Amino acid sequence: MVRRLRFTGTDSKNGSCPALHEDADSGEIIVQGRPLTDPGDLDQLQHFGPDDAAVAVPRELLVNHGPKEMQRVPKLIDPAEFAELFHHFEYSAWHLETRRGYASDREDEGYAVFLESGHAPMDLDSDWCQNITAQTKAGKYVGRVRVVDDPPTEGQRFLLSYACCNALTGEDARCITREDAERAHLPAEDFWLFDSRLVAILRFDDQDVFHDVEIITEPTEVLRYCQIRDAAVARSARYTDFAARLKG
């Protein structure tokens, strides 16, 4: 069975090895580097079997990108605590949306309006919009990249229409096709990244109901999510350009 490998980091400046990956199921760390081939080097290795391979990697790679805990214990917060993060971040808040729909959207009154008219109504006076507007006016960056299927699901079409409201609050609202997201190795999870130091992973059930949030502050893990953000922003398009391509 093919492993589900997750890239954790590299110190390479040109996109080559060495690098670390993690098996998402077993937790095993996969070290990628230049192989040792000199017989004199291999003779010095203890417990080196005939089917083993040895690679050389800089010490910094393991220090900067290796796990710091034997087993990560999730720190969970409830939706109320999560909401407070949007009032207290200092510089930036960025969101990756990957789900094909959200129960909270379908329960919103505006969803029915969208199904009838094809346009999601905007409420710039809502608590959410007022806070985000205040944060962006204060010079803070708020952005998101939405992963969209081809063709878009009903829920994704609703959010594409609602992106106009996001933009009016000062958000950098962007979209990417699922194909391009997979090509960029973006994870199939929803998360917010605050100030490039705290990751909030949103947890949903099979009915798209939002339940709680897992908080990650371990630097190596946060760095990985920063790299995901950079890749998503680089490969995505502004929501207006993305919507125009869909219509075309």
Side-chain angles (χ1 to χ4, degrees):
M1 188 164 125
V2 177
R3 292 175 181 259
R4 293 193 305 126
L5 297 183
R6 183 172 62 187
F7 174 74
T8 60
T10 179
D11 289 319
S12 170
K13 303 298 186 293
N14 57 11
S16 59
C17 69
L20 289 184
H21 291 75
E22 180 181 4
D23 188 310
D25 300 308
S26 71
E28 291 178 301
I29 304 301
I30 312 300
V31 180
Q32 171 189 339
R34 299 191 182 282
L36 287 180
T37 58
D38 188 288
D41 293 337
L42 296 177
D43 284 344
Q44 299 178 60
L45 299 178
Q46 299 184 39
H47 313 295
F48 191 75
D51 297 322
D52 293 342
V55 299
V57 298
R59 186 182 185 89
E60 303 91 271
L61 178 71
L62 303 180
V63 172
N64 293 337
H65 302 287
K68 303 300 185 292
E69 302 169 338
M70 284 292 293
Q71 184 174 7
R72 191 176 82 193
V73 178
K75 176 185 176 183
L76 302 182
I77 63 173
D78 60 32
E81 292 177 278
F82 174 57
E84 284 300 306
L85 294 175
F86 294 93
H87 293 273
H88 300 298
F89 70 94
E90 295 184 78
Y91 311 110
S92 63
W94 184 84
H95 186 26
L96 178 67
E97 293 183 358
T98 65
R99 300 187 70 83
R100 292 176 169 85
Y102 298 85
S104 58
D105 289 340
R106 297 191 291 269
E107 294 165 359
D108 192 287
E109 292 179 2
Y111 199 82
V113 175
F114 165 75
L115 293 180
E116 257 190 53
S117 66
H119 299 284
M122 294 186 295
D123 183 7
L124 291 172
D125 293 325
S126 69
D127 291 342
W128 169 266
C129 288
Q130 286 189 342
N131 177 57
I132 297 302
T133 300
Q135 300 289 359
T136 56
K137 283 186 176 179
K140 301 177 186 180
Y141 172 79
V142 180
R144 72 179 71 217
V145 170
R146 290 187 170 114
V147 176
V148 181
D149 289 279
D150 184 15
T153 66
E154 183 180 85
Q156 290 166 347
R157 288 191 297 106
F158 169 75
L159 290 173
L160 276 171
S161 179
Y162 191 75
C164 180
C165 185
N166 295 133
L168 287 174
T169 67
E171 276 197 30
D172 177 23
R174 307 179 68 84
C175 297
I176 185 173
T177 65
R178 192 167 299 277
E179 181 180 3
D180 284 343
E182 292 173 351
R183 190 176 294 118
H185 305 293
L186 303 187
E189 61 185 3
D190 278 39
F191 68 87
W192 279 89
L193 175 62
F194 295 94
D195 295 330
S196 296
R197 65 174 182 81
L198 182 149
V199 180
I201 299 177
L202 282 58
R203 309 205 314 179
F204 298 82
D205 64 20
D206 292 338
Q207 283 71 50
D208 303 319
V209 177
F210 172 48
H211 279 286
D212 53 30
V213 176
E214 179 183 351
I215 295 298
I216 296 175
T217 56
E218 183 184 352
T220 54
E221 279 288 280
V222 173
L223 174 60
R224 183 172 70 85
Y225 283 96
C226 290
Q227 293 171 330
I228 291 168
R229 174 200 57 200
D230 292 348
V233 172
R235 300 289 181 87
S236 60
R238 288 193 71 248
Y239 79 96
T240 47
D241 299 332
F242 187 88
R245 289 208 306 261
L246 283 180
K247 291 177 182 176

